[in-house]
Amino acid sequence: MKKNYFLFLLFICFYANAQAPKGVFLAGGINQASLNSDQLTADGSIGYHLGAAINFGYNLNFNYEFGILYSRNVLSLPYVSGVSPDFTDSGNQKYNVDTIDMNFMFNYYVIQPEYNKVFFGPQAGLTVGITNGEWTPAKGASTTNQTYEYGLTQNSFQGVPDFNLSTSFGIVGGFNDFRASLKYNLGLTNALSGVENNERDQYNLYTGPDFKGKLSSVSFTLYYKIL
């Protein structure tokens, strides 16, 4: 009887040490956005994200992750500048797309986590990005008289959607209190809904194109356990 009790305690101790990593983590990293649109040309630049995540669950092979991150995605738009039709300059203008991202991820560990050992595996989930409803020019930039494709201006990007839904998938791994993930966030919603140029009829009703595009990104995140 005592032997069976001892073996049971030994199993419980091993299982506790071998559980998928749990706790509260500080998170930060870099991301590069991309805009998939047949109408608007935009090159992605390096942005960043900061926040926190909590991992929970009691299974050996998998756990769940909920995170809240402040993210800055950067898009570079080609423009011409001057007073129409005498455009005298051209270039690329960077715009910041700031969001508060809430993500829920499922982590599955091919290499099972154990005390003082590496763990690794795929992850997948959903991310909801809440925006302030506009794209803002990079700090210090002057957008006066800048015109983008289809006659768009800075004011055209002040009515973008308040949220962006994306599905996320990638890989996650770590060692003790450190974790890292590399994932692709595939945009599912129209990030250009509400974008308009100056095409209007005599009743001031919009007659321009219906802009469509999905905002996606690649992100690399480092985590450190604090609780």
Side-chain angles (χ1 to χ4, degrees):
M1 181 68 180
K2 291 183 178 180
K3 181 179 180 181
N4 291 337
Y5 182 70
F6 174 77
L7 291 175
F8 176 76
L9 289 179
L10 185 63
F11 171 79
I12 292 297
C13 291
F14 169 78
Y15 187 76
N17 283 334
Q19 287 174 5
K22 299 182 296 181
V24 179
F25 295 78
L26 293 179
I30 59 175
N31 42 266
Q32 181 160 356
S34 62
L35 182 68
N36 182 16
S37 173
D38 293 332
Q39 299 159 307
L40 189 63
T41 302
D43 295 325
S45 297
I46 298 296
Y48 64 89
H49 53 273
L50 299 167
I54 180 171
N55 279 242
F56 54 95
Y58 296 93
N59 193 277
L60 175 64
N61 297 98
F62 65 85
N63 68 356
Y64 306 97
E65 176 183 326
F66 176 73
I68 298 180
L69 300 171
Y70 167 76
S71 298
R72 166 159 289 182
N73 290 299
V74 183
L75 294 173
S76 183
L77 309 180
Y79 71 85
V80 290
S81 180
V83 179
S84 182
D86 299 321
F87 294 109
T88 58
D89 193 14
S90 63
N92 291 280
Q93 174 62 55
K94 289 185 177 180
Y95 275 83
N96 298 325
V97 184
D98 296 331
T99 61
I100 300 296
D101 292 333
M102 296 181 292
N103 54 62
F104 184 81
M105 305 296 295
F106 174 80
N107 303 318
Y108 183 83
Y109 300 99
V110 177
I111 300 178
Q112 298 175 358
E114 296 181 17
Y115 184 71
N116 281 339
K117 291 191 177 180
V118 173
F119 54 91
F120 177 83
Q123 64 175 182
L126 288 174
T127 298
V128 176
I130 302 174
T131 78
N132 59 1
E134 66 176 327
W135 298 0
T136 57
K139 186 176 181 180
S142 174
T143 59
T144 304
N145 295 326
Q146 286 186 358
T147 303
Y148 310 99
E149 294 174 295
Y150 290 87
L152 298 175
T153 66
Q154 177 187 341
N155 293 335
S156 302
F157 305 112
Q158 295 182 351
V160 297
D162 293 328
F163 77 97
N164 181 54
L165 178 65
S166 61
T167 180
S168 305
F169 49 90
I171 53 176
V172 62
F175 181 83
N176 285 349
D177 292 337
F178 293 91
R179 299 174 61 244
S181 71
L182 176 65
K183 61 178 179 282
Y184 179 68
N185 307 295
L186 176 65
L188 301 177
T189 53
N190 182 12
L192 298 180
S193 176
V195 173
E196 298 180 351
N197 59 15
N198 59 0
E199 296 181 31
R200 297 184 176 274
D201 63 14
Q202 58 182 330
Y203 304 105
N204 201 34
L205 298 176
Y206 181 66
T207 59
D210 182 17
F211 292 95
K212 295 180 180 180
K214 295 181 179 180
L215 185 65
S216 302
S217 66
V218 175
S219 64
F220 175 75
T221 309
L222 289 174
Y223 303 83
Y224 179 71
K225 184 178 179 179
I226 57 173
L227 292 174

